[in-house]
Amino acid sequence: MSAVGTVKLSGIAYELGDRCPVLDLVGDGITIDDVSELLERGVSGVAVLKQPLVEALSRCIERTLSSSGVPADDIDTVIVATESFATFFESDVRPDTDIFRLTRDRTFALFHDLGFHRATIQCTTYGGCTNFLQALVTAEALVLKGLSRNVLVVAAEKLGSSRSRFMNEAISLAGDGAAACLISARKDSGSGIFALKHVSAAPYKKYDINGDMAKLLLEMFRAIKSAAADCYDACNWQPSDFRWIILGDYNRPTSMTYGKLLGFPPERIFLKNVGQFGHIPFDPLINLADLSGEGLLSSIDKIFMFLCGPVSCGSVALEAE
C-alpha cells in the first residue's frame, strides 16, 4: 500500500445506556450533597448500560460497516479504546484471573467471529478520557503511511457501582456506552464523512496528583493552549474559522470555560448533550454524530474537537464533506 494525502472519518455509530436521573443514584455511595452539586452544574442524568457491553459494541460495529460499505475482511486494523476490561464481557471468573489477558484473548476471538480475519487488533488504554484521541493518532498515522487502508476504531466503557461513576474533581458522572467509526483513505464524500485535517496530543508535565490543585490546573491550561496552538498552526486556521467546538461532556460550566479558553463564543459550543448522559470518554465522537445527524453541519464546515484526560490532552480538526 502507498501513502495517501487525505484521511477521512466516517460511519459513526454509537449506543448509550438508559438515562438514569442523578437522584436515583443516592444511597449507592453517592450522597444527596453530591447530587446537589451535580445538579448545580447542570448534570441531571447518566447513561447506565444494563446489557453486556460487548453486545452494544457489536451492534455499533455492524452499523459502521454497513453505512461505510466496507466489509469486515477489508479492515486492516482494529483499535479498541477502553478501560473497561472487567465489564467488557461480564462473565464469572475466578478471583485470581488476569482480567486484562482474559479480555484481550476474548476480544481477539470476538473480532474473528465478527469476520475480521485480516485485521491486527490493537488497544489504547493509558489515556483515560483521551483513549479515543490516542486511537485517532494511531489510525491516522497508519493510513497516511499506507500501512492500513481501513482502520476501525471502537470505544466502549461501562462502570459498576454508582460510586465508581462519581468524578469528584470534575464534578461529573461517568456514563456507559459504545461507539465505532472508520478511519480510511476513502475517496467519496457526503453526509457523515469528515476529512481529518489534524490530530495531535499534548502531554502534561509531571505533577503530584495529590499536590497543589492550582498548579495542576495551570499545567492543564498550558497543555490545552499548546494543543490548540498546534492545531491552529498546522491547519492555518483560527477559532473564527470553525463552525463548532465539541468537547467532553463533564458539566455545563466546564464546557463553557474550555470553549472560552480555546477562543470560542458560547453559541459555537455544542452543549446539547452536556449533563444528560454523564461523561463518556468518547463523547466528542457522539457529539460529532449528533451534529451531523441533526442537520447542524453544512459541507466544508470546520469542527474543532478537544479532549482532555488525566495524563494528556489533544485536539482534532475536521471538515464536513
Side-chain angles (χ1 to χ4, degrees):
M1 286 179 274
S2 59
V4 300
T6 302
V7 180
K8 298 187 180 182
L9 184 156
S10 64
I12 304 172
Y14 72 84
E15 189 168 320
L16 303 180
D18 296 334
R19 185 180 183 278
C20 174
V22 296
L23 283 170
D24 290 358
L25 303 179
V26 175
D28 186 14
I30 294 183
T31 68
I32 190 65
D33 289 339
D34 295 331
V35 168
S36 296
E37 188 174 24
L38 289 166
L39 290 172
E40 286 176 5
R41 295 296 185 104
V43 180
S44 60
V46 63
V48 178
L49 194 63
K50 303 294 179 61
Q51 59 190 286
L53 182 57
V54 70
E55 292 183 8
L57 182 60
S58 296
R59 288 191 291 270
C60 290
I61 292 169
E62 182 180 353
R63 296 204 304 274
T64 291
L65 296 181
S66 176
S67 64
S68 300
V70 177
D73 252 351
D74 280 350
I75 300 294
D76 305 295
T77 307
V78 175
I79 304 177
V80 182
T82 189
E83 287 185 328
S84 297
F85 299 105
T87 57
F88 215 81
F89 291 95
E90 299 185 51
S91 58
D92 294 331
V93 295
R94 299 193 315 270
D96 61 341
T97 299
D98 185 328
I99 294 295
F100 175 81
R101 290 190 178 188
L102 178 65
T103 305
R104 178 198 62 194
D105 294 344
R106 289 183 175 177
T107 301
F108 181 83
L110 167 70
F111 282 104
H112 190 273
D113 291 344
L114 290 173
F116 295 87
H117 300 144
R118 298 178 55 254
T120 300
I121 314 298
Q122 302 183 16
C123 180
T124 57
T125 191
Y126 282 172
C129 297
T130 56
N131 283 337
F132 174 68
L133 175 70
Q134 293 184 357
L136 279 186
V137 170
T138 303
E140 184 202 39
L142 288 170
V143 176
L144 277 178
K145 292 184 177 182
L147 300 176
S148 290
R149 294 167 303 162
N150 300 303
V151 180
L152 180 72
V153 174
V154 298
E157 300 291 349
K158 182 176 181 180
L159 278 292
S161 67
S162 295
R163 185 62 202 178
S164 66
R165 296 184 183 280
F166 188 49
M167 305 171 70
N168 187 35
E169 293 179 353
I171 313 178
S172 188
L173 293 167
D176 301 338
C181 67
L182 184 72
I183 306 298
S184 66
R186 62 189 303 166
K187 303 296 184 182
D188 55 336
S189 60
S191 177
I193 300 177
F194 303 89
L196 188 57
K197 295 294 187 177
H198 175 80
V199 55
S200 67
Y204 303 145
K205 293 180 181 177
K206 185 179 183 298
Y207 62 86
D208 180 2
I209 196 169
N210 297 312
D212 189 329
M213 183 54 66
K215 289 183 178 179
L216 169 59
L217 289 174
L218 284 174
E219 169 55 21
M220 291 182 69
F221 288 159
R222 181 205 63 78
I224 289 168
K225 287 287 192 179
S226 176
D230 287 347
C231 180
Y232 300 150
D233 288 345
C235 298
N236 197 26
W237 294 339
Q238 292 300 313
S240 58
D241 294 314
F242 291 89
R243 175 65 185 89
W244 293 99
I245 181 174
I246 51 180
L247 303 153
D249 296 332
Y250 296 95
N251 58 58
R252 192 176 184 90
T254 296
S255 290
M256 298 295 284
T257 298
Y258 278 149
K260 183 177 181 179
L261 189 65
L262 293 164
F264 288 81
E267 64 271 15
R268 288 195 283 124
I269 306 170
F270 186 67
L271 297 169
K272 178 191 172 186
N273 295 327
V274 179
Q276 299 302 307
F277 306 104
H279 168 57
I280 305 170
F282 47 90
D283 45 24
L285 184 66
I286 294 169
N287 290 334
L288 181 62
D290 286 354
L291 271 174
S292 178
E294 295 177 16
L296 298 176
L297 287 174
S298 300
S299 177
I300 75 171
D301 273 351
K302 299 172 178 62
I303 307 100
F304 185 83
M305 179 187 291
F306 183 78
L307 299 93
C308 189
V311 296
S312 65
C313 62
S315 56
V316 182
L318 302 136
E319 189 170 63
E321 298 207 336

